[in-house]
Amino acid sequence: MTPTPVRAWAAKNEEAEKETNMGVMMRSMLEVADNSGARKLQMILPLGGSTGLRAGLGDVITASVKEAAPDGQVQKGKVVKAVIVRTRKEHRRRDGTYIRFDQNAAVLINDTGEPVGTRVFGPVARELREKKFLKIVSLAPEVL
């Protein structure tokens, strides 16, 4: 007995969903790409009611500090806001090209959107300029 075409498509689609990388979601661990004192973050939720549970490049998230330097500005366990600057999930640009990084990384920001640290480490995505994080783009050594 062969499955109907609809069932075959559903089974194939379910297998594809298991293999795909879902991006930055709740409880995802992120590296910190600045010198604020935090080293690792765990995402809680993206800010904004209509964004759903996933976040991508340039999205503002709330996160919990899981590792921190002992002499840093932020302490372990503190809930902070951050903007995502690198993701392992590829991001499609309007010109048809894709950008993907080796790690998930974020930069801590304050309530006004300014970065907490004074330096940004590693490359950041060009999408940050479109989302008005110009200070982060200017501090970054490379914009891809």
Side-chain angles (χ1 to χ4, degrees):
M1 189 191 279
T2 60
T4 62
V6 173
R7 296 291 292 157
W9 176 83
K12 193 175 4 173
N13 194 25
E14 288 170 1
E15 289 174 21
E17 281 183 351
K18 291 177 188 173
E19 295 173 358
T20 58
N21 182 3
M22 300 300 281
V24 182
M25 302 177 68
M26 186 186 300
R27 296 182 63 113
S28 293
M29 296 299 285
L30 297 107
E31 302 291 325
V32 178
D34 63 12
N35 64 345
S36 60
R39 291 195 182 127
K40 284 203 177 183
L41 301 176
Q42 185 177 42
M43 181 173 139
I44 298 172
L45 274 178
L47 289 181
S50 63
T51 60
L53 298 177
R54 297 183 195 151
L57 291 173
D59 288 346
V60 178
I61 62 167
T62 56
S64 172
V65 177
K66 290 297 179 184
E67 282 183 29
D71 56 347
Q73 297 174 352
V74 288
Q75 311 307 325
K76 180 180 173 185
K78 187 175 179 186
V79 175
V80 294
K81 285 184 185 177
V83 60
I84 296 176
V85 296
R86 294 191 289 270
T87 59
R88 286 184 52 85
K89 176 67 178 167
E90 65 275 356
H91 176 80
R92 185 182 185 278
R93 293 185 168 158
R94 288 179 186 235
D95 62 358
T97 61
Y98 287 83
I99 180 130
R100 178 176 62 200
F101 295 95
D102 291 339
Q103 63 182 350
N104 296 324
V107 171
L108 300 187
I109 57 173
N110 57 19
D111 291 331
T112 61
E114 297 292 316
V116 173
T118 57
R119 295 178 63 196
V120 174
F121 305 117
V124 298
R126 194 182 317 139
E127 284 74 13
L128 293 176
R129 181 174 286 136
E130 299 162 8
K131 298 211 177 175
K132 307 292 187 241
F133 292 107
L134 300 176
K135 181 77 171 174
I136 296 173
V137 170
S138 68
L139 290 173
E142 189 176 5
V143 180
L144 298 177

